[in-house]
Amino acid sequence: MNRKNTGRAALAALPFLLALAADLILFATRRDRLPAQLASHFVGNGRADDYAGRTSYVVITTVLLVGIGALWVLMTARGGFHGRAYRRVVACGYAVAGFLGYLMAVVLLVNVDAAEDGQGRAQGVSFPMWQLAAALGVAALAFGLGLLLAAVAPVPEEPSVDGQADGVAAGGERIALAAGEVAGWARSTGNRWLLPAVALTCAGGVALLFTVGWSAAVPVVLVGLLLLSFARPNVAVDRRGITVSGMLPWPRVRVPLDRIETAASRDIKPLAEYGGWGYRIRPGRTGVMIRSGEGIVARLADGRDFAVTVDDSATAAALLNTLIDQRRTEH
């Protein structure tokens, strides 16, 4: 990791480390005043309905803040964010760290000096619901601090969007086809993290079925199955245009050939350019973002771009340009 990325990673990690340090210091200074089993989960009226040991509290707090912090560091340092987008991402990390750190601190503090029952569980502990509003206030203040620090620190420069747009507008390579010859291109694409995410989602749905009930489990399982159906989508280019489909007939995305002006292949950063993965809608562009890397970028007749990340995108773009030329010749 170069010096620039190291600085960005440190700035993104700072709020999560500070929140973790604050929570662990609170725990260490009040450990002897805590019950053996802390009230750790609360229902809508603030009453406790689940408990966790002291060690569990430390482990959960550490895993929560370190895990989310690590994801934020990776996203900030390697996500390709620039300018205002970079500052907002950093500030959102500060807000998340402030919100979670504050809530974990409140859970600890409401258990201080609580009486214990015969099993060592805290008695008479409740979580004041106004603390959620206070946590949001802390998050807002942390967001402002993050914006300030990101503005003071060197901000990565915005890449030249015009250069990318010109690369699409100018067209690109063609594939030689004889008169009357028909050609098509198809490729599957995927993300190595998507299948584990599907498995975790479905497992979470099964766990909810046994712990909460079918009303909470069914929507989660359905989301998991929908993700599974689109875990390795197929991208096809032919005389109909660009088609992106999963294992099921739906959902399917199709961009007709007569809407496409030209196509090109280039490297795509979904987080920086489209704000994430999946089917994305952004000002001036839409796309199906499965992973970072090469992809097809098609300039449409209305001036917008449609993109999909897939391997061998140069061949697909070249075929699209050839098919577009044939369509224009025919008309």
Side-chain angles (χ1 to χ4, degrees), residues 173-185 237-239 257 315-327 329-330:
E173 299 294 329
R174 265 69 172 170
I175 292 178
L177 294 179
E181 186 176 3
V182 178
W185 175 96
V237 170
D238 53 29
R239 295 185 67 86
L257 187 66
T315 302
L319 177 59
L320 267 175
N321 288 324
T322 299
L323 295 174
I324 292 168
D325 291 344
Q326 288 183 344
R327 182 201 68 201
T329 301
E330 292 170 359

Side-chain angles (χ1 to χ4, degrees), residues 144-209:
L145 176 61
L147 278 180
L148 178 63
L149 293 177
V152 172
V155 178
E157 296 181 358
E158 192 81 34
S160 173
V161 177
D162 291 338
Q164 293 180 354
D166 290 343
V168 177
E173 299 294 329
R174 265 69 172 170
I175 292 178
L177 294 179
E181 186 176 3
V182 178
W185 175 96
R187 193 78 177 249
S188 63
T189 184
N191 185 320
R192 62 180 178 177
W193 300 108
L194 193 53
L195 284 176
V198 170
L200 287 174
T201 302
C202 293
V206 174
L208 286 173
L209 178 64

Side-chain angles (χ1 to χ4, degrees), residues 17 26 67 115 139 159 190 223 225 228 238 240-241 258 270 281 287 300 315-316 325:
L17 295 177
L26 280 176
V223 169
L225 293 176
L228 178 62
D238 53 29
R240 293 174 296 182
D258 58 10
I281 301 176
L300 307 184
T315 302
D325 291 344

Side-chain angles (χ1 to χ4, degrees), residues 88-300:
R88 287 196 296 266
V89 169
V90 171
C92 286
Y94 277 69
V96 170
F99 183 80
L100 294 176
Y102 182 85
L103 285 183
M104 297 307 293
V106 172
V107 169
L108 177 71
L109 292 175
V110 297
N111 280 277
V112 172
D113 297 327
E116 299 182 10
D117 63 8
Q119 297 178 331
R121 296 182 299 186
Q123 296 296 294
V125 174
S126 63
F127 185 96
M129 289 296 106
W130 60 265
Q131 291 285 7
L132 290 176
L136 291 174
V138 171
L141 291 174
F143 183 87
L145 176 61
L147 278 180
L148 178 63
L149 293 177
V152 172
V155 178
E157 296 181 358
E158 192 81 34
S160 173
V161 177
D162 291 338
Q164 293 180 354
D166 290 343
V168 177
E173 299 294 329
R174 265 69 172 170
I175 292 178
L177 294 179
E181 186 176 3
V182 178
W185 175 96
R187 193 78 177 249
S188 63
T189 184
N191 185 320
R192 62 180 178 177
W193 300 108
L194 193 53
L195 284 176
V198 170
L200 287 174
T201 302
C202 293
V206 174
L208 286 173
L209 178 64
F210 289 98
T211 57
V212 179
W214 64 267
S215 59
V218 169
V220 176
V221 172
L222 289 177
V223 169
L225 293 176
L226 181 61
L227 289 174
L228 178 62
S229 71
F230 221 68
R232 286 198 62 83
N234 297 309
V235 182
V237 170
D238 53 29
R239 295 185 67 86
R240 293 174 296 182
I242 305 173
T243 303
V244 185
S245 60
M247 293 186 292
L248 300 177
W250 184 90
R252 170 177 292 186
V253 179
R254 175 170 290 165
V255 181
L257 187 66
D258 58 10
R259 288 185 55 203
I260 304 173
E261 293 294 318
T262 186
S265 169
R266 68 170 175 84
D267 190 66
I268 299 173
K269 296 181 174 63
L271 279 173
E273 299 178 47
Y274 290 85
W277 291 271
Y279 182 72
R280 312 301 298 177
I281 301 176
R282 303 286 287 179
R285 56 188 181 271
T286 59
V288 180
M289 301 292 108
I290 305 301
R291 51 156 179 76
S292 299
E294 66 171 296
I296 310 166
V297 182
R299 174 60 52 85
L300 307 184

